[in-house]
Amino acid sequence: MKIQLALDRMAIKEAISITKLVQDSVDWIEVGTSLIKEFGKNSISEIKRSFPNKMVVADIKTIDNAIYEFEMCFNAGADVATVMGVSPIVTIQACLQVAEKWNKKVMIDLLNTSDDQLATLSQFKSAIFCHHVSKDQQELDSSEKSGVRVFTDATPTIAVAGGITLQSIRDLASIRPSVIIIGSAITKANNPTQAAYEFKKTIIELEGQVNE
Amino acid sequence: MKIQLALDRMAIKEAISITKLVQDSVDWIEVGTSLIKEFGKNSISEIKRSFPNKMVVADIKTIDNAIYEFEMCFNAGADVATVMGVSPIVTIQACLQVAEKWNKKVMIDLLNTSDDQLATLSQFKSAIFCHHVSKDQQELDSSEKSGVRVFTDATPTIAVAGGITLQSIRDLASIRPSVIIIGSAITKANNPTQAAYEFKKTIIELEGQVNE
């Protein structure tokens, strides 16, 4: 299980400073949608330039204009870019084609996808599927929810996102996600370095249990 | 019927130059998603600063993080901002609340919404509903399609978008959209000033026929 550090709602400089504090404990770095929409593609290129050896995920949340947006992300140095599962299928196919050309990856964000859409999407074996409880669902909706849904098909590469804490990460271990996306539980912690280290330690411990 | 000029896939300077050429024939100016994702919120503020007396639409295509994104757009000078109809309902409600606070408008982009979603969305009477054939559906999908769908409820304020030309605009007149969104048919024309003028003239002519 890899840790993807999600950087959101901050300036690019702050994002780089925080990442420097925690880089030893995280695997992938996500340039959050809020950074891209606030500062543009420079947010991607500056973070990749600062951490050239990390996988950088551009959370561009494409829902149209796939070729233009994915070319932009990969040109800026992203290794993975995201497309919404609720997009027209032609958009998702175009993202996959651009990623294949660049030998990079597509993460499909399953936010608010229907069961029918999920079934259709499962044909895209090369994608990473991100089960996602959105920020608004976490912050503005008091009902209980879980981002994790079961594929009827063979298990693809899975990422999980949305308000993940040291407590909730233990419940996620059973579904064996490849990528665990953590944002404010690290970036807003009093001691981000320590918080990231605790996540890393917990994941190593959980992986040991799963492999036993 | 107002003309909303959609500015996409170009630099901010180019967007401002083209808009100067056509500003007498267009009513609203849309800062396209591609400008926002490429250059950030500056694309909104620079275009509003250049055209302070025009309604500026930020095509931010929010699908999460509604308060942050809508506050950002309105702070940057947008008069209207867009949210995807396929978003969780809590996201759309948050957009409407931010817009109400600012006394500004929400445009709900109906791209790929299901009939059930459309029915639910029709409760939001203050929104502008944008029937939308996406760029990818226009450019990458050869099947015939129309962005226009009928509301079962009372007719709300409607916008239409997606590859609209001087020919297709005549077919749209019968549904009486409040806003007609035109992009490349003006911005990529050999003579944008003339193209915008032809659209304006056609709309005035069509409005005359509708009112007869």
Side-chain angles (χ1 to χ4, degrees), chain B residues 141-172:
Chain B
D141 178 357
S142 58
S143 65
E144 260 204 60
K145 74 275 306 176
S146 156
V148 177
R149 293 156 69 194
V150 176
F151 277 82
T152 48
D153 207 342
T155 312
T157 309
I158 284 175
V160 286
I164 293 172
T165 63
L166 268 179
Q167 284 68 50
S168 65
I169 205 171
R170 294 179 180 277
D171 304 327
L172 294 170

PDB file of all heavy atoms in Angstrom, chain B residues 141-172:
ATOM      1  N   ASP B 141     -16.600  11.546 -30.827  1.00  0.00           N
ATOM      2  CA  ASP B 141     -17.712  10.595 -30.879  1.00  0.00           C
ATOM      3  C   ASP B 141     -18.538  10.926 -32.120  1.00  0.00           C
ATOM      4  O   ASP B 141     -19.096  12.014 -32.234  1.00  0.00           O
ATOM      5  CB  ASP B 141     -18.544  10.751 -29.600  1.00  0.00           C
ATOM      6  CG  ASP B 141     -19.757   9.835 -29.573  1.00  0.00           C
ATOM      7  OD1 ASP B 141     -19.992   9.120 -30.564  1.00  0.00           O
ATOM      8  OD2 ASP B 141     -20.467   9.851 -28.560  1.00  0.00           O
ATOM      9  N   SER B 142     -18.594   9.965 -33.052  1.00  0.00           N
ATOM     10  CA  SER B 142     -19.225  10.270 -34.335  1.00  0.00           C
ATOM     11  C   SER B 142     -20.749  10.109 -34.323  1.00  0.00           C
ATOM     12  O   SER B 142     -21.420  10.464 -35.281  1.00  0.00           O
ATOM     13  CB  SER B 142     -18.638   9.359 -35.420  1.00  0.00           C
ATOM     14  OG  SER B 142     -18.860   8.012 -35.047  1.00  0.00           O
ATOM     15  N   SER B 143     -21.302   9.593 -33.234  1.00  0.00           N
ATOM     16  CA  SER B 143     -22.757   9.400 -33.207  1.00  0.00           C
ATOM     17  C   SER B 143     -23.468  10.752 -33.115  1.00  0.00           C
ATOM     18  O   SER B 143     -22.924  11.732 -32.622  1.00  0.00           O
ATOM     19  CB  SER B 143     -23.161   8.522 -32.017  1.00  0.00           C
ATOM     20  OG  SER B 143     -22.867   9.171 -30.803  1.00  0.00           O
ATOM     21  N   GLU B 144     -24.704  10.774 -33.576  1.00  0.00           N
ATOM     22  CA  GLU B 144     -25.469  12.022 -33.516  1.00  0.00           C
ATOM     23  C   GLU B 144     -25.905  12.310 -32.104  1.00  0.00           C
ATOM     24  O   GLU B 144     -26.260  11.410 -31.353  1.00  0.00           O
ATOM     25  CB  GLU B 144     -26.713  11.906 -34.401  1.00  0.00           C
ATOM     26  CG  GLU B 144     -26.422  12.591 -35.697  1.00  0.00           C
ATOM     27  CD  GLU B 144     -27.620  13.060 -36.429  1.00  0.00           C
ATOM     28  OE1 GLU B 144     -28.375  13.885 -35.901  1.00  0.00           O
ATOM     29  OE2 GLU B 144     -27.773  12.592 -37.552  1.00  0.00           O
ATOM     30  N   LYS B 145     -25.859  13.577 -31.739  1.00  0.00           N
ATOM     31  CA  LYS B 145     -26.284  13.890 -30.387  1.00  0.00           C
ATOM     32  C   LYS B 145     -26.768  15.343 -30.319  1.00  0.00           C
ATOM     33  O   LYS B 145     -26.383  16.189 -31.121  1.00  0.00           O
ATOM     34  CB  LYS B 145     -25.166  13.636 -29.380  1.00  0.00           C
ATOM     35  CG  LYS B 145     -24.026  14.610 -29.344  1.00  0.00           C
ATOM     36  CD  LYS B 145     -22.884  14.415 -30.299  1.00  0.00           C
ATOM     37  CE  LYS B 145     -22.213  13.094 -30.304  1.00  0.00           C
ATOM     38  NZ  LYS B 145     -21.165  13.050 -31.370  1.00  0.00           N
ATOM     39  N   SER B 146     -27.606  15.563 -29.355  1.00  0.00           N
ATOM     40  CA  SER B 146     -28.097  16.905 -29.109  1.00  0.00           C
ATOM     41  C   SER B 146     -28.009  17.155 -27.617  1.00  0.00           C
ATOM     42  O   SER B 146     -28.267  16.263 -26.810  1.00  0.00           O
ATOM     43  CB  SER B 146     -29.542  17.028 -29.567  1.00  0.00           C
ATOM     44  OG  SER B 146     -30.185  18.067 -28.861  1.00  0.00           O
ATOM     45  N   GLY B 147     -27.590  18.319 -27.240  1.00  0.00           N
ATOM     46  CA  GLY B 147     -27.457  18.617 -25.812  1.00  0.00           C
ATOM     47  C   GLY B 147     -28.768  18.967 -25.161  1.00  0.00           C
ATOM     48  O   GLY B 147     -28.854  19.070 -23.935  1.00  0.00           O
ATOM     49  N   VAL B 148     -29.799  19.141 -25.966  1.00  0.00           N
ATOM     50  CA  VAL B 148     -31.027  19.694 -25.413  1.00  0.00           C
ATOM     51  C   VAL B 148     -31.938  18.597 -24.890  1.00  0.00           C
ATOM     52  O   VAL B 148     -32.242  17.641 -25.591  1.00  0.00           O
ATOM     53  CB  VAL B 148     -31.760  20.541 -26.472  1.00  0.00           C
ATOM     54  CG1 VAL B 148     -33.070  21.058 -25.915  1.00  0.00           C
ATOM     55  CG2 VAL B 148     -30.875  21.678 -26.915  1.00  0.00           C
ATOM     56  N   ARG B 149     -32.346  18.723 -23.636  1.00  0.00           N
ATOM     57  CA  ARG B 149     -33.269  17.760 -23.051  1.00  0.00           C
ATOM     58  C   ARG B 149     -34.408  18.535 -22.405  1.00  0.00           C
ATOM     59  O   ARG B 149     -34.258  19.673 -21.992  1.00  0.00           O
ATOM     60  CB  ARG B 149     -32.542  16.914 -22.013  1.00  0.00           C
ATOM     61  CG  ARG B 149     -31.503  16.016 -22.676  1.00  0.00           C
ATOM     62  CD  ARG B 149     -30.436  15.642 -21.723  1.00  0.00           C
ATOM     63  NE  ARG B 149     -30.952  14.741 -20.703  1.00  0.00           N
ATOM     64  CZ  ARG B 149     -30.295  14.454 -19.586  1.00  0.00           C
ATOM     65  NH1 ARG B 149     -29.145  15.026 -19.331  1.00  0.00           N
ATOM     66  NH2 ARG B 149     -30.798  13.625 -18.723  1.00  0.00           N
ATOM     67  N   VAL B 150     -35.529  17.873 -22.321  1.00  0.00           N
ATOM     68  CA  VAL B 150     -36.731  18.561 -21.881  1.00  0.00           C
ATOM     69  C   VAL B 150     -36.916  18.372 -20.377  1.00  0.00           C
ATOM     70  O   VAL B 150     -36.779  17.270 -19.853  1.00  0.00           O
ATOM     71  CB  VAL B 150     -37.948  18.021 -22.649  1.00  0.00           C
ATOM     72  CG1 VAL B 150     -39.226  18.658 -22.129  1.00  0.00           C
ATOM     73  CG2 VAL B 150     -37.772  18.265 -24.136  1.00  0.00           C
ATOM     74  N   PHE B 151     -37.189  19.445 -19.701  1.00  0.00           N
ATOM     75  CA  PHE B 151     -37.552  19.371 -18.299  1.00  0.00           C
ATOM     76  C   PHE B 151     -39.020  19.009 -18.188  1.00  0.00           C
ATOM     77  O   PHE B 151     -39.851  19.543 -18.916  1.00  0.00           O
ATOM     78  CB  PHE B 151     -37.345  20.731 -17.625  1.00  0.00           C
ATOM     79  CG  PHE B 151     -35.940  20.971 -17.210  1.00  0.00           C
ATOM     80  CD1 PHE B 151     -35.010  21.425 -18.131  1.00  0.00           C
ATOM     81  CD2 PHE B 151     -35.532  20.753 -15.912  1.00  0.00           C
ATOM     82  CE1 PHE B 151     -33.700  21.653 -17.751  1.00  0.00           C
ATOM     83  CE2 PHE B 151     -34.230  20.980 -15.524  1.00  0.00           C
ATOM     84  CZ  PHE B 151     -33.318  21.424 -16.446  1.00  0.00           C
ATOM     85  N   THR B 152     -39.332  18.092 -17.271  1.00  0.00           N
ATOM     86  CA  THR B 152     -40.743  17.764 -17.071  1.00  0.00           C
ATOM     87  C   THR B 152     -41.413  18.868 -16.268  1.00  0.00           C
ATOM     88  O   THR B 152     -42.603  19.110 -16.377  1.00  0.00           O
ATOM     89  CB  THR B 152     -40.874  16.424 -16.316  1.00  0.00           C
ATOM     90  OG1 THR B 152     -39.994  16.471 -15.188  1.00  0.00           O
ATOM     91  CG2 THR B 152     -40.480  15.269 -17.206  1.00  0.00           C
ATOM     92  N   ASP B 153     -40.620  19.535 -15.461  1.00  0.00           N
ATOM     93  CA  ASP B 153     -41.116  20.601 -14.601  1.00  0.00           C
ATOM     94  C   ASP B 153     -41.272  21.894 -15.413  1.00  0.00           C
ATOM     95  O   ASP B 153     -41.048  21.919 -16.605  1.00  0.00           O
ATOM     96  CB  ASP B 153     -40.088  20.799 -13.477  1.00  0.00           C
ATOM     97  CG  ASP B 153     -40.738  21.354 -12.216  1.00  0.00           C
ATOM     98  OD1 ASP B 153     -41.856  21.885 -12.316  1.00  0.00           O
ATOM     99  OD2 ASP B 153     -40.116  21.225 -11.155  1.00  0.00           O
ATOM    100  N   ALA B 154     -41.661  22.949 -14.740  1.00  0.00           N
ATOM    101  CA  ALA B 154     -41.747  24.255 -15.396  1.00  0.00           C
ATOM    102  C   ALA B 154     -40.388  24.625 -15.988  1.00  0.00           C
ATOM    103  O   ALA B 154     -39.359  24.221 -15.479  1.00  0.00           O
ATOM    104  CB  ALA B 154     -42.173  25.303 -14.380  1.00  0.00           C
ATOM    105  N   THR B 155     -40.414  25.372 -17.060  1.00  0.00           N
ATOM    106  CA  THR B 155     -39.176  25.693 -17.775  1.00  0.00           C
ATOM    107  C   THR B 155     -38.294  26.628 -16.960  1.00  0.00           C
ATOM    108  O   THR B 155     -38.697  27.721 -16.614  1.00  0.00           O
ATOM    109  CB  THR B 155     -39.513  26.377 -19.112  1.00  0.00           C
ATOM    110  OG1 THR B 155     -40.513  25.610 -19.760  1.00  0.00           O
ATOM    111  CG2 THR B 155     -38.285  26.461 -19.991  1.00  0.00           C
ATOM    112  N   PRO B 156     -37.103  26.186 -16.674  1.00  0.00           N
ATOM    113  CA  PRO B 156     -36.166  27.076 -15.969  1.00  0.00           C
ATOM    114  C   PRO B 156     -35.372  27.920 -16.959  1.00  0.00           C
ATOM    115  O   PRO B 156     -35.599  27.843 -18.168  1.00  0.00           O
ATOM    116  CB  PRO B 156     -35.256  26.083 -15.265  1.00  0.00           C
ATOM    117  CG  PRO B 156     -35.198  24.930 -16.214  1.00  0.00           C
ATOM    118  CD  PRO B 156     -36.500  24.914 -16.978  1.00  0.00           C
ATOM    119  N   THR B 157     -34.451  28.686 -16.439  1.00  0.00           N
ATOM    120  CA  THR B 157     -33.533  29.444 -17.289  1.00  0.00           C
ATOM    121  C   THR B 157     -32.555  28.472 -17.925  1.00  0.00           C
ATOM    122  O   THR B 157     -31.910  27.696 -17.241  1.00  0.00           O
ATOM    123  CB  THR B 157     -32.760  30.472 -16.441  1.00  0.00           C
ATOM    124  OG1 THR B 157     -33.696  31.227 -15.684  1.00  0.00           O
ATOM    125  CG2 THR B 157     -31.949  31.388 -17.330  1.00  0.00           C
ATOM    126  N   ILE B 158     -32.469  28.530 -19.237  1.00  0.00           N
ATOM    127  CA  ILE B 158     -31.708  27.526 -19.970  1.00  0.00           C
ATOM    128  C   ILE B 158     -30.567  28.162 -20.758  1.00  0.00           C
ATOM    129  O   ILE B 158     -30.727  29.227 -21.356  1.00  0.00           O
ATOM    130  CB  ILE B 158     -32.644  26.744 -20.925  1.00  0.00           C
ATOM    131  CG1 ILE B 158     -33.483  25.744 -20.117  1.00  0.00           C
ATOM    132  CG2 ILE B 158     -31.875  26.038 -22.032  1.00  0.00           C
ATOM    133  CD1 ILE B 158     -34.507  25.009 -20.936  1.00  0.00           C
ATOM    134  N   ALA B 159     -29.427  27.475 -20.726  1.00  0.00           N
ATOM    135  CA  ALA B 159     -28.322  27.800 -21.620  1.00  0.00           C
ATOM    136  C   ALA B 159     -28.058  26.577 -22.483  1.00  0.00           C
ATOM    137  O   ALA B 159     -28.369  25.451 -22.084  1.00  0.00           O
ATOM    138  CB  ALA B 159     -27.081  28.171 -20.823  1.00  0.00           C
ATOM    139  N   VAL B 160     -27.522  26.803 -23.665  1.00  0.00           N
ATOM    140  CA  VAL B 160     -27.151  25.679 -24.533  1.00  0.00           C
ATOM    141  C   VAL B 160     -25.715  25.872 -24.983  1.00  0.00           C
ATOM    142  O   VAL B 160     -25.279  26.993 -25.256  1.00  0.00           O
ATOM    143  CB  VAL B 160     -28.079  25.552 -25.763  1.00  0.00           C
ATOM    144  CG1 VAL B 160     -29.432  25.002 -25.367  1.00  0.00           C
ATOM    145  CG2 VAL B 160     -28.231  26.877 -26.487  1.00  0.00           C
ATOM    146  N   ALA B 161     -24.987  24.734 -25.052  1.00  0.00           N
ATOM    147  CA  ALA B 161     -23.566  24.803 -25.398  1.00  0.00           C
ATOM    148  C   ALA B 161     -23.150  23.577 -26.175  1.00  0.00           C
ATOM    149  O   ALA B 161     -23.692  22.497 -25.975  1.00  0.00           O
ATOM    150  CB  ALA B 161     -22.719  24.904 -24.131  1.00  0.00           C
ATOM    151  N   GLY B 162     -22.177  23.760 -27.040  1.00  0.00           N
ATOM    152  CA  GLY B 162     -21.559  22.606 -27.676  1.00  0.00           C
ATOM    153  C   GLY B 162     -21.605  22.658 -29.183  1.00  0.00           C
ATOM    154  O   GLY B 162     -22.561  22.187 -29.788  1.00  0.00           O
ATOM    155  N   GLY B 163     -20.595  23.227 -29.788  1.00  0.00           N
ATOM    156  CA  GLY B 163     -20.479  23.210 -31.239  1.00  0.00           C
ATOM    157  C   GLY B 163     -21.562  23.972 -31.961  1.00  0.00           C
ATOM    158  O   GLY B 163     -21.943  23.625 -33.089  1.00  0.00           O
ATOM    159  N   ILE B 164     -22.085  25.032 -31.346  1.00  0.00           N
ATOM    160  CA  ILE B 164     -23.181  25.777 -31.970  1.00  0.00           C
ATOM    161  C   ILE B 164     -22.641  26.627 -33.132  1.00  0.00           C
ATOM    162  O   ILE B 164     -21.624  27.295 -33.011  1.00  0.00           O
ATOM    163  CB  ILE B 164     -23.907  26.652 -30.920  1.00  0.00           C
ATOM    164  CG1 ILE B 164     -24.629  25.737 -29.920  1.00  0.00           C
ATOM    165  CG2 ILE B 164     -24.878  27.629 -31.574  1.00  0.00           C
ATOM    166  CD1 ILE B 164     -25.217  26.436 -28.728  1.00  0.00           C
ATOM    167  N   THR B 165     -23.361  26.537 -34.252  1.00  0.00           N
ATOM    168  CA  THR B 165     -22.981  27.281 -35.460  1.00  0.00           C
ATOM    169  C   THR B 165     -24.143  28.165 -35.898  1.00  0.00           C
ATOM    170  O   THR B 165     -25.248  28.078 -35.346  1.00  0.00           O
ATOM    171  CB  THR B 165     -22.666  26.313 -36.621  1.00  0.00           C
ATOM    172  OG1 THR B 165     -23.873  25.585 -36.922  1.00  0.00           O
ATOM    173  CG2 THR B 165     -21.561  25.336 -36.252  1.00  0.00           C
ATOM    174  N   LEU B 166     -23.891  28.992 -36.906  1.00  0.00           N
ATOM    175  CA  LEU B 166     -24.953  29.845 -37.449  1.00  0.00           C
ATOM    176  C   LEU B 166     -26.108  29.007 -37.981  1.00  0.00           C
ATOM    177  O   LEU B 166     -27.261  29.446 -37.983  1.00  0.00           O
ATOM    178  CB  LEU B 166     -24.401  30.713 -38.583  1.00  0.00           C
ATOM    179  CG  LEU B 166     -23.873  32.097 -38.203  1.00  0.00           C
ATOM    180  CD1 LEU B 166     -23.346  32.800 -39.434  1.00  0.00           C
ATOM    181  CD2 LEU B 166     -24.943  32.946 -37.528  1.00  0.00           C
ATOM    182  N   GLN B 167     -25.799  27.776 -38.430  1.00  0.00           N
ATOM    183  CA  GLN B 167     -26.854  26.901 -38.928  1.00  0.00           C
ATOM    184  C   GLN B 167     -27.667  26.324 -37.751  1.00  0.00           C
ATOM    185  O   GLN B 167     -28.882  26.404 -37.712  1.00  0.00           O
ATOM    186  CB  GLN B 167     -26.256  25.740 -39.749  1.00  0.00           C
ATOM    187  CG  GLN B 167     -25.785  26.125 -41.147  1.00  0.00           C
ATOM    188  CD  GLN B 167     -24.561  27.053 -41.139  1.00  0.00           C
ATOM    189  OE1 GLN B 167     -23.574  26.780 -40.470  1.00  0.00           O
ATOM    190  NE2 GLN B 167     -24.635  28.170 -41.854  1.00  0.00           N
ATOM    191  N   SER B 168     -26.942  25.747 -36.771  1.00  0.00           N
ATOM    192  CA  SER B 168     -27.649  25.030 -35.710  1.00  0.00           C
ATOM    193  C   SER B 168     -28.400  25.965 -34.781  1.00  0.00           C
ATOM    194  O   SER B 168     -29.343  25.554 -34.096  1.00  0.00           O
ATOM    195  CB  SER B 168     -26.673  24.156 -34.911  1.00  0.00           C
ATOM    196  OG  SER B 168     -25.719  24.936 -34.220  1.00  0.00           O
ATOM    197  N   ILE B 169     -28.026  27.217 -34.754  1.00  0.00           N
ATOM    198  CA  ILE B 169     -28.678  28.156 -33.835  1.00  0.00           C
ATOM    199  C   ILE B 169     -30.165  28.303 -34.178  1.00  0.00           C
ATOM    200  O   ILE B 169     -30.992  28.539 -33.299  1.00  0.00           O
ATOM    201  CB  ILE B 169     -27.938  29.522 -33.880  1.00  0.00           C
ATOM    202  CG1 ILE B 169     -28.156  30.268 -32.571  1.00  0.00           C
ATOM    203  CG2 ILE B 169     -28.337  30.362 -35.046  1.00  0.00           C
ATOM    204  CD1 ILE B 169     -27.277  31.507 -32.470  1.00  0.00           C
ATOM    205  N   ARG B 170     -30.513  28.102 -35.439  1.00  0.00           N
ATOM    206  CA  ARG B 170     -31.924  28.244 -35.841  1.00  0.00           C
ATOM    207  C   ARG B 170     -32.793  27.129 -35.248  1.00  0.00           C
ATOM    208  O   ARG B 170     -33.954  27.334 -34.931  1.00  0.00           O
ATOM    209  CB  ARG B 170     -32.046  28.256 -37.371  1.00  0.00           C
ATOM    210  CG  ARG B 170     -31.382  29.483 -37.964  1.00  0.00           C
ATOM    211  CD  ARG B 170     -31.427  29.578 -39.471  1.00  0.00           C
ATOM    212  NE  ARG B 170     -30.761  30.806 -39.888  1.00  0.00           N
ATOM    213  CZ  ARG B 170     -31.344  32.001 -39.907  1.00  0.00           C
ATOM    214  NH1 ARG B 170     -32.610  32.140 -39.583  1.00  0.00           N
ATOM    215  NH2 ARG B 170     -30.655  33.077 -40.273  1.00  0.00           N
ATOM    216  N   ASP B 171     -32.177  25.938 -35.090  1.00  0.00           N
ATOM    217  CA  ASP B 171     -32.927  24.819 -34.502  1.00  0.00           C
ATOM    218  C   ASP B 171     -33.151  25.013 -33.004  1.00  0.00           C
ATOM    219  O   ASP B 171     -34.027  24.401 -32.410  1.00  0.00           O
ATOM    220  CB  ASP B 171     -32.162  23.504 -34.703  1.00  0.00           C
ATOM    221  CG  ASP B 171     -31.857  23.257 -36.180  1.00  0.00           C
ATOM    222  OD1 ASP B 171     -32.686  23.671 -37.022  1.00  0.00           O
ATOM    223  OD2 ASP B 171     -30.797  22.681 -36.472  1.00  0.00           O
ATOM    224  N   LEU B 172     -32.295  25.835 -32.400  1.00  0.00           N
ATOM    225  CA  LEU B 172     -32.377  26.028 -30.953  1.00  0.00           C
ATOM    226  C   LEU B 172     -33.405  27.076 -30.553  1.00  0.00           C
ATOM    227  O   LEU B 172     -33.842  27.120 -29.405  1.00  0.00           O
ATOM    228  CB  LEU B 172     -31.010  26.461 -30.405  1.00  0.00           C
ATOM    229  CG  LEU B 172     -29.893  25.421 -30.500  1.00  0.00           C
ATOM    230  CD1 LEU B 172     -28.554  26.055 -30.157  1.00  0.00           C
ATOM    231  CD2 LEU B 172     -30.179  24.254 -29.568  1.00  0.00           C
TER     232      LEU B 172
END
